[in-house]
Amino acid sequence: MKFEFGLVATLFLPVLIVAAMFAAEPPKAAVQFEGKETLLRPEGYREWVFVGSSLGLRYDEGKEQPGQLEYKNVYIDPAAYRAYKETGVFPEGTVLVLETATGEEKKEPDLRGSFQKEFSGLSAAVKDKDRFPDGWAYFSFADGPGKLKDKARPAKTAACYDCHRQKGAEDNVFTQYYPVLNAARRK
């Protein structure tokens, strides 16, 4: 059997070209902006690195339903997580997403505890000193119970930034509540 290089090249060249096109495509940024400060709702964040969850942790005292269980799930974009893991510093462009879910208690014989029931809110924190003079900006996509907006403007400094700056363990981030980030930084 005679090997025909020309035939093999003809058959596989289109496959190699298509593969090279996809490999050369730059990765999509974790977030997209409309104009300078309007953040479009992040897509695919549930596929990012899950850094932690809290139950009942409240950011504001005047909550309408103080007895309601509320879960907060936090995700970080994969590129920022890798950089943080390598350097111990959140790089420019870091995006953290906070997804809120209502909770419910299960009280049956031999089955007790709480679980997440429905998603109720979404917020994001973005580190970008070129866009935001304070370095970080915070966005809420909540548009009523269980409804989300497609885009958001930065929250007022007193609403989120001041608390994160004062109480976040590292660079405006509450790393004290995220064991995944603490474990990554120690390496």
Side-chain angles (χ1 to χ4, degrees):
M1 179 153 114
K2 186 175 178 185
F3 180 73
E4 292 284 332
F5 180 75
L7 177 61
V8 171
T10 303
L11 293 173
F12 289 106
L13 188 57
V15 173
L16 292 174
I17 291 172
V18 170
M21 286 172 34
F22 282 110
E25 188 175 305
K28 186 177 178 183
V31 293
Q32 303 289 318
F33 285 91
E34 179 180 276
K36 182 171 169 62
E37 294 187 338
T38 300
L39 180 65
L40 301 181
R41 190 171 65 211
E43 295 179 13
Y45 63 88
R46 288 187 188 132
E47 296 174 9
W48 294 2
V49 177
F50 178 72
V51 297
S53 186
S54 64
L55 174 62
L57 188 64
R58 299 246 191 258
Y59 294 108
D60 53 356
E61 291 183 28
K63 201 81 169 167
E64 294 171 11
Q65 299 172 326
Q68 171 108 17
L69 289 176
E70 185 177 70
Y71 284 87
K72 291 178 171 56
N73 302 318
V74 180
Y75 304 86
I76 187 171
D77 71 279
Y81 174 76
R82 285 189 299 273
Y84 178 77
K85 189 174 173 181
E86 290 174 18
T87 66
V89 175
F90 293 105
E92 285 297 308
T94 295
V95 182
L96 291 154
V97 170
L98 174 78
E99 183 174 53
T100 307
T102 60
E104 195 164 292
E105 293 222 24
K106 192 76 166 166
K107 294 180 181 174
E108 296 177 13
D110 298 328
L111 182 60
R112 296 192 185 280
S114 61
F115 60 93
Q116 296 183 37
K117 187 173 180 185
E118 295 176 347
F119 295 114
S120 57
L122 188 73
S123 301
V126 178
K127 183 177 182 179
D128 189 333
K129 67 181 177 186
D130 292 335
R131 286 181 194 273
F132 310 108
D134 294 322
W136 285 90
Y138 302 85
F139 304 84
S140 174
F141 295 95
D143 195 22
K147 296 179 183 175
L148 298 177
K149 300 182 285 190
D150 291 332
K151 51 189 168 182
R153 304 262 311 141
K156 293 179 181 173
T157 302
C160 299
Y161 178 83
D162 288 346
C163 181
H164 278 259
R165 182 178 51 79
Q166 293 168 9
K167 298 178 182 175
E170 271 183 80
D171 191 15
N172 291 32
V173 179
F174 295 116
T175 55
Q176 65 267 37
Y177 304 128
Y178 308 140
V180 170
L181 293 177
N182 288 319
R185 186 185 64 239
R186 287 187 200 121
K187 293 182 179 182

